[in-house]
Amino acid sequence: MTTINEHIMPPYYYYVDPDTTYQAQMPNPLDDLISVYGLQDLSNQVARTNQDGTRAIKLRKSYKNQIQDLSGKFATIPTRENGKGGEISHILFQNNPDMIPQIRREPGMTDEQYGAAVTDRDRALFESPDMNWDVCKAVLSQFERSYPSEFQGQGFQVDDLAFDLDGTGKMNSKKRKVKSNGSSMATPNSDVQEDVKRRRLD
Amino acid sequence: MTAEPNYVEMHGENGSSTTTATTATAAANDNIGSDNSKKGQISNGITDDSKMAVETAGAKDMDPTASPPPPIPHVEINQVPFSLVMRNLTVFTIKEVSQFMKTNVHVNPTEPSTTKKLQFLHMIIFLRNQYLKIYVLVKWCRTIKNNNFHMMIDLLNWFRITNVIVNNCIWAIKASLAGMANAKLPNVDLVTALEVLSLGRPNLPTHQLKLSGEGNDLYQLSGGMVKVPPKVVLQKLKDMNLSISIKIAMMEVPDAFRNYSFRNGRIYIFVPEEYEIQLATTDYRAPLFFVDMNFLFRKQSLPLDKLKLEKVINEILFKSVKPLVALNKFLRKYVLTLKLYMIYLELVELEESGKFSGGHLAHRYDSKRSIISIRYWLHSKMGRTSKITIGVDRRTENLILKWDNELALQSKRMPVAYTDILDNLESILDEIMFNHSHIIRANLLSKGVFFEDEENLDVLLFQIPTTCISMAPIQLKIDLISGVFYFKNPTPLLLSYVSQINRAENADELINVLQRLKRDKISQVLRNMFEKTGWVCSKVIKLDHPIATQVNTTEPVNNNELVPLPTSLLQDDLFIRLPNWPANWYLILTVVSSNASCVVEKRIGKIVSNKGHWKLSYLGNSNVTSAKLESMTYQKVLYLQKTILHRIVNHMIIDSLNQLKISNKISTSEMLSSLPDYVVHGARQDKARDSIQDNNHENDYTSIIILELESFLGGSKALNNILESSMFMHIDYYNSEISLFGKFKRDTTMIKCKCDELLIHFVPGESLAFYLTEKFTNLNMIVDYLVKFRQKLMQLVILTDVVERLHKNFASDDFKIVALKPNEISFKYLKNSNDSQDCTISIVSNEQMVENLTVQLSPSNPQHIVQPFIDNGHMDYHFIFNYLQFTSSLFSVLENIIKQQTMSGSYTMVSLGLHNVCEYQLVYHNPEAGTKITLIIELKNVSHNGTKKVQFYIHFSDEEHISTKSLAYPLVHQVRNQVFMLDPKESPASSSKNKKYQGAIRLVDGISCDPTNIEPILLEIHDILRMDSNVQVNSSTSTNGMQQQTPSAARIPTAS
């Protein structure tokens, strides 16, 4: 049969050039790529629905947990929702050369020289004229001693400063640290299956 | 805050890597989902090719454990080093702080420091939060790194890129499509194009290959293609024949497929009357596949989706273990379904544009259960219950049509199941409807009401009367298409019944309707007869209940509920009257018709409309005449017209009497013999002109109604002991006379009095019987005559009463009634009265009672002097009559005395004075002598021997003392001695006189006597007192003188 095929089969039909070879896409999108790349556990953790189709518990916002190890007493976590967090300023992610004087590495400049130039430029930020410490002193001295009720009703609470004035915050944070030390950086396969209620991506 | 030693990559575009993470998760989920769906599709397996493709693909790619997965390009675009971020943040912070310091270095006294402090605090917190976020972000990034999350992100990104590539491909194809718009390709064959793309060859059913080996160049075609040599083709076909026959030989072939042949490289399987299918195979190992198929049961080509069929068949052939058996099963079902669908199409056409258009046929096509249920004759109630069902016969697995009709099943002569339905549906339906119409017809015929027409078998004949004596058949037919009944040559009456007939649900109802039709026709005939002869038929009268007839009186009627007549009996009431009849009175013709015969009953009734609601207020249930319809003729109607009026009047009178609550009974002919003769023959008895021939009409023209006296007088018992309790009302229509006969119980004085105004006549020869009579003009006024009679009778009562009393009071021979009017009686009672009447009594009465009597004395009556006392005294007329009778002698003598004295011309004048009705004074006054003697006559009640009596008491007045010296004394003295002494020996001459004064009693200073003695006593006293005392003085007063006078005194009474 194959011999007949070779006899009667024309080289190719229509516009399809049999000589051109096409490589199948790698990886094959028909495959279960999640398992191919070993992401099942992860996807299970972040899935929106459970395997039985019920709605999965929402990913826990672990913001509070993340800042727990900082000194400071965050009675209220500054978040977008309560209006105290706000966005990260876009300016931080821009590679804007104008933000800071650029140091050109002149030909013939040694590494030490270049490093010193960069250091000088950075230090200049904290020195006059960029930063006039006398002015700062003057301004701060203008501030009189505050009294507790001074900022009432003006959208400011002392708690927002997160100063650990009475020292309790430290205690808490220490306690928490002990408790959450391991799980904070836990690997996905640690104890996720049992902790269904407080699902989170640790 | 310090920078992390790890170099973390960030997505600057999104700002927050948390967002990135969730997006990645979502993408991953999507991926899982799409993958699963793909798997599902594969398992479903639509085509060979796709499955094959998957299998090969799976074989090629899938081995994740063996080899490491291919790398996925890492996301690198739009990434900023963390050092830059930290540097930016630092610069930003310092600049902000510095800016704040610079702007606030100068103190603005108006601005409080609190605002500045607040601004500063806000800035500090803002900046702190920026650091905080970066810190958290860094920690998150570490978590992501630890959890391989970046791989997930990369995967998402890869999916995104792949998606874009596919999209681009689609856009490219679209662009090439648009570019080909001018190329001469009428239909873009994308399917083939994709087939070529995926299989490397087209999968066209026709294989548009030029297999012919003809041409100049055997193997070369233009375009460098090689032609197929014919030998190769033939060889190939033989090979294929061989391979398919081998394959079939190895297979299980169902019985239905036994008829097959191998040709042209395929197998032709021929299933008679259903289809021919061609299958082929490439290799005996390869599965069979579909080549072509034709349906044999239909000439016209079907709108068949062969492509889809091919796919399905190929799938069956490929998948099934016993491909041919499965194919047979499938095609069997397919053919049945197709046939059913075609029947459905045929039905739709029949219903919408064909024979049965107009909603006579309805069907329901249940494609799931493969059943079509058909209902026909939708407008026919009787035939509507029948159904036709088309479905698959469980036994033969063929289509079958079943006619669901019990009667047809029972008859066994009619086919109820048909198998060859397709293309025959219309004739099958025709046959079923024809048969059904025959069933209905036979059913109706079996009821025995209809007749068959021998000439036309479709027609049912039903006899209805055209006149009272003749019948004619009407022709009833069933329309085969709609199943409704219709009349041939219909009249308006028939047309009005057609719809009713068609509403009938069974034969009995239908017959019932026809019976009603018959009854209505009879009514129409009768109405026609009556209207032609001058009667008027009321069409508006509608009674709530039909009139109870003699035919159905046995049917009990409970609680006002109408008990329906037995279906075989139908009733209709006609209300007929003559124009000159009293209002509301009708001759009620009750037509009671049954299957076989019809009876007409005649009654007389009164029907009153009260607020638009007709009510039978009177119904003469006696004397109901009932006749057969056949006996109704014009002669009878005309005769009825002449004779019926008096019956109506009778009923009317009875009704009026009933309304007046007078007990009554109409006399029947049997009763006539027992009635008094004068009543039967009425007032005509004394009318000599009546000839004997009138007696023939006596019964027709007279009616006698017996009344009860007490109820006639409205409950008054006044006449109960005067008149007999039965009265007879005699109505003579011939002479338009109404008479009321009554009879006195006993002979009363009343009978002797004639009073013309009372209209009371006495029956000659019957001393106690009397009658009242009136000529009537209008029968509507008959009640008025009754009222008048009653009034007269009441007056008679009153008169009789008064007259009786008069007779009792004036029980003397002098009493005589002079004139008698209904409210006035004039009579005489005085002894020697020359007057035409002495007294007139006016009777003031209400309906039943004498309220008052006015006594008017005649001016010439001596008692006229008491008239004012009677008028003002409010005295009982008993008293008045007694008084008048009692004092009649007194007043006549007084009148005599005064008259005598005035005529005598003596000095002494006599005057009469009345103190009241029971005290009178007679004053003798002699102006010459100056004497005045007052004689007082009083009426006194005297108890004598235990009985009370009224007596006159005569004495001289006590007030004026007449001394012995007075000239009058001797006269007084003489009266006392002569009259008052009542001593016979005092004067022997007058002893005889004294004897006359029997019952007179001597009192101390006067005398008491009764009316019989009052006259002589008073005359005797007058004889004495009339002497002029002065004359007496002049002559000597001697007993002689007195004696001389005596003869003259005695002379007076003799003179009167």
Side-chain angles (χ1 to χ4, degrees), chain B residues 282-508:
Chain B
T282 51
D283 190 329
Y284 67 91
R285 286 184 298 268
L288 289 167
F289 61 84
F290 173 88
V291 179
D292 200 2
M293 178 164 188
N294 287 313
F295 290 105
L296 303 174
F297 51 82
R298 193 81 194 250
K299 299 282 179 298
Q300 302 99 304
S301 61
L302 288 165
L304 221 115
D305 189 356
K306 264 193 189 172
L307 277 177
K308 197 174 172 189
L309 195 66
E310 180 186 350
K311 268 185 187 171
V312 176
I313 290 177
N314 277 340
E315 196 185 325
I316 291 169
L317 291 173
F318 176 73
K319 281 170 71 182
S320 172
V321 186
K322 294 177 181 174
L324 289 183
V325 176
L327 181 66
N328 179 37
K329 216 179 252 176
F330 164 73
L331 283 178
R332 177 95 208 122
K333 278 183 188 164
Y334 186 79
V335 164
L336 285 178
T337 314
L338 193 64
K339 278 183 174 174
L340 199 66
Y341 177 70
M342 282 160 67
I343 289 169
Y344 158 72
L345 290 182
E346 213 173 322
L347 259 178
V348 168
E349 201 195 323
L350 279 176
E351 273 169 33
E352 284 175 359
S353 52
K355 203 175 188 177
F356 300 102
S357 60
H360 300 303
L361 196 67
H363 75 273
R364 208 164 60 85
Y365 177 29
D366 188 343
S367 57
K368 273 189 188 155
R369 290 167 57 216
S370 297
I371 286 176
I372 300 178
S373 37
I374 305 171
R375 288 183 30 229
Y376 59 98
W377 286 3
L378 291 179
H379 300 302
S380 156
K381 277 242 172 177
M382 211 182 282
R384 209 168 51 169
T385 47
S386 294
K387 265 202 322 190
I388 298 174
T389 316
I390 303 175
V392 181
D393 189 4
R394 224 171 259 148
R395 195 169 48 80
T396 63
E397 293 196 336
N398 268 317
L399 282 185
I400 190 164
L401 181 147
K402 280 190 175 169
W403 180 30
D404 180 19
N405 185 312
E406 272 189 31
L407 291 169
L409 273 174
Q410 286 163 10
S411 82
K412 299 215 168 122
R413 278 181 298 136
M414 292 179 181
V416 290
Y418 299 82
T419 46
D420 191 11
I421 310 162
L422 202 61
D423 291 326
N424 278 329
L425 188 62
E426 187 175 332
S427 50
I428 291 172
L429 289 176
D430 281 346
E431 187 176 316
I432 286 174
M433 289 178 196
F434 180 78
N435 285 342
H436 196 171
S437 79
H438 264 260
I439 288 171
I440 291 175
R441 198 172 149 272
N443 189 20
L444 288 175
L445 276 173
S446 71
K447 301 287 175 185
V449 178
F450 294 96
F451 305 96
E452 256 179 306
D453 190 346
E454 278 160 18
E455 288 171 15
N456 191 343
L457 286 175
D458 296 339
V459 173
L460 287 163
L461 297 181
F462 181 71
Q463 298 279 351
I464 60 167
T466 46
T467 66
C468 286
I469 42 172
S470 65
M471 305 275 263
I474 50 168
Q475 300 179 312
L476 188 69
K477 283 185 85 170
I478 301 175
D479 182 45
L480 287 182
I481 287 175
S482 63
V484 299
F485 291 95
Y486 66 97
F487 289 113
K488 258 183 141 184
N489 307 325
T491 61
L493 182 73
L494 292 183
L495 282 180
S496 69
Y497 266 90
V498 163
S499 60
Q500 283 193 49
I501 286 174
N502 282 315
R503 272 202 292 275
E505 289 192 11
N506 52 45
D508 288 330

Side-chain angles (χ1 to χ4, degrees), chain B residues 711-722:
Chain B
S711 57
F712 178 70
L713 295 176
S716 162
K717 291 180 174 143
L719 284 179
N720 275 5
N721 41 18
I722 298 171

Side-chain angles (χ1 to χ4, degrees), chain B residues 498-741:
Chain B
V498 163
S499 60
Q500 283 193 49
I501 286 174
N502 282 315
R503 272 202 292 275
E505 289 192 11
N506 52 45
D508 288 330
E509 262 181 54
L510 185 134
I511 287 167
N512 198 13
V513 172
L514 281 173
Q515 296 297 348
R516 267 188 278 146
L517 163 68
K518 187 174 166 185
R519 180 203 62 192
D520 279 6
K521 180 68 186 172
I522 292 168
S523 298
Q524 199 187 33
V525 166
L526 284 175
R527 205 172 273 149
N528 195 20
M529 276 174 84
F530 276 92
E531 274 174 357
K532 270 188 185 162
T533 48
W535 296 72
V536 180
C537 299
S538 168
K539 288 184 180 103
V540 291
I541 293 179
K542 262 265 177 295
L543 292 179
D544 287 347
H545 307 297
I547 284 161
T549 60
Q550 293 175 332
V551 188
N552 66 347
T553 39
T554 48
E555 291 287 315
V557 178
N558 299 327
N559 307 330
N560 286 339
E561 262 177 56
L562 186 62
V563 173
L565 290 169
T567 43
S568 59
L569 283 182
L570 289 167
Q571 188 184 342
D572 191 23
D573 299 321
L574 302 181
F575 303 96
I576 303 170
R577 62 194 301 267
L578 283 168
N580 60 346
W581 275 17
N584 296 331
W585 285 89
Y586 293 90
L587 171 68
I588 301 170
L589 284 188
T590 304
V591 179
V592 181
S593 91
S594 69
N595 286 353
S597 66
C598 175
V599 174
V600 180
E601 292 184 1
K602 281 175 282 193
R603 284 180 179 75
I604 282 162
K606 183 181 183 185
I607 292 151
V608 186
S609 166
N610 182 17
K611 291 173 188 165
H613 188 82
W614 294 99
K615 223 184 132 194
L616 187 69
S617 75
Y618 177 86
L619 182 69
N621 265 327
S622 57
N623 275 338
V624 174
T625 54
S626 141
K628 288 226 163 201
L629 177 68
E630 290 75 17
S631 68
M632 293 294 288
T633 57
Y634 274 105
Q635 285 91 336
K636 281 209 172 173
V637 173
L638 285 168
Y639 179 69
L640 197 65
Q641 196 173 3
K642 283 179 192 155
T643 56
I644 199 163
L645 183 63
H646 78 277
R647 269 190 233 148
I648 259 238
V649 176
N650 280 356
H651 288 294
M652 215 173 86
I653 291 164
I654 290 169
D655 180 50
S656 306
L657 293 174
N658 285 341
Q659 275 179 17
L660 295 170
K661 291 184 178 134
I662 297 170
S663 313
N664 62 78
K665 186 168 169 59
I666 189 146
S667 69
T668 55
S669 46
E670 308 92 69
M671 288 165 68
L672 283 178
S673 56
S674 61
L675 291 179
D677 199 41
Y678 62 87
V679 173
V680 177
H681 298 288
R684 284 182 294 146
Q685 212 177 37
D686 53 354
K687 283 170 192 160
R689 58 185 161 83
D690 284 349
S691 50
I692 302 152
Q693 71 218 29
D694 284 341
N695 288 334
N696 298 339
H697 301 297
E698 202 158 79
N699 286 335
D700 291 335
Y701 289 115
T702 62
S703 50
I704 295 163
I705 299 160
I706 302 153
L707 308 177
E708 204 248 325
L709 175 73
E710 192 175 317
S711 57
F712 178 70
L713 295 176
S716 162
K717 291 180 174 143
L719 284 179
N720 275 5
N721 41 18
I722 298 171
L723 297 181
E724 295 281 356
S725 62
S726 299
M727 305 194 79
F728 305 94
M729 188 145 73
H730 180 109
I731 299 156
D732 183 348
Y733 306 103
Y734 190 81
N735 295 312
S736 298
E737 266 182 356
I738 178 166
S739 318
L740 183 71
F741 287 87

Side-chain angles (χ1 to χ4, degrees), chain A residues 8-200:
Chain A
I8 59 165
M9 284 287 265
Y12 64 93
Y13 307 107
Y14 300 101
Y15 299 106
V16 183
D17 186 356
D19 293 337
T20 314
T21 53
Y22 295 95
Q23 289 295 316
Q25 200 181 13
M26 292 297 282
N28 192 334
L30 298 177
D31 290 344
D32 179 8
L33 293 183
I34 297 281
S35 20
V36 167
Y37 290 96
L39 297 171
Q40 286 104 325
D41 288 341
L42 184 63
S43 72
N44 281 343
Q45 283 183 63
V46 297
R48 284 174 188 169
T49 53
N50 292 328
Q51 296 216 319
D52 57 358
T54 53
R55 209 180 152 81
I57 294 152
K58 229 177 163 184
L59 267 179
R60 201 182 129 203
K61 296 250 185 294
S62 51
Y63 193 97
K64 187 178 179 180
N65 198 29
Q66 301 285 11
I67 59 171
Q68 209 69 63
D69 49 352
L70 292 175
S71 64
K73 187 185 176 191
F74 291 97
T76 36
I77 304 298
T79 60
R80 221 177 300 176
E81 281 75 24
N82 61 21
K84 289 177 177 168
E87 302 287 331
I88 295 180
S89 183
H90 276 276
I91 207 164
L92 301 191
F93 301 104
Q94 288 168 358
N95 191 0
N96 187 356
D98 298 337
M99 281 274 286
I100 191 165
Q102 294 296 304
I103 303 296
R104 282 241 177 102
R105 185 164 189 173
E106 302 293 334
M109 215 179 212
T110 60
D111 284 350
E112 288 79 24
Q113 280 172 326
Y114 179 68
V118 170
T119 315
D120 286 347
R121 180 201 61 181
D122 288 348
R123 190 182 293 124
L125 276 172
F126 301 94
E127 287 169 1
S128 191
D130 279 344
M131 190 73 192
N132 193 334
W133 292 105
D134 295 337
V135 172
C136 291
K137 209 177 280 177
V139 171
L140 289 176
S141 64
Q142 282 167 27
F143 292 169
E144 287 148 29
R145 187 181 168 82
S146 296
Y147 45 94
S149 62
E150 189 176 350
F151 304 113
Q152 266 181 6
Q154 303 203 41
F156 175 79
Q157 276 94 42
V158 183
D159 282 349
D160 290 348
L161 287 169
F163 289 158
D164 191 11
L165 298 170
D166 50 2
T168 51
K170 205 85 184 176
M171 287 280 284
N172 273 347
S173 103
K174 264 184 185 169
K175 269 185 192 168
R176 292 216 171 194
K177 254 184 188 167
V178 171
K179 198 178 156 196
S180 63
N181 208 6
S183 67
S184 166
M185 296 294 154
T187 46
N189 52 3
S190 61
D191 53 2
V192 177
Q193 294 303 328
E194 293 121 47
D195 192 7
V196 188
K197 278 237 157 175
R198 313 184 67 200
R199 246 175 51 168
R200 59 185 183 263

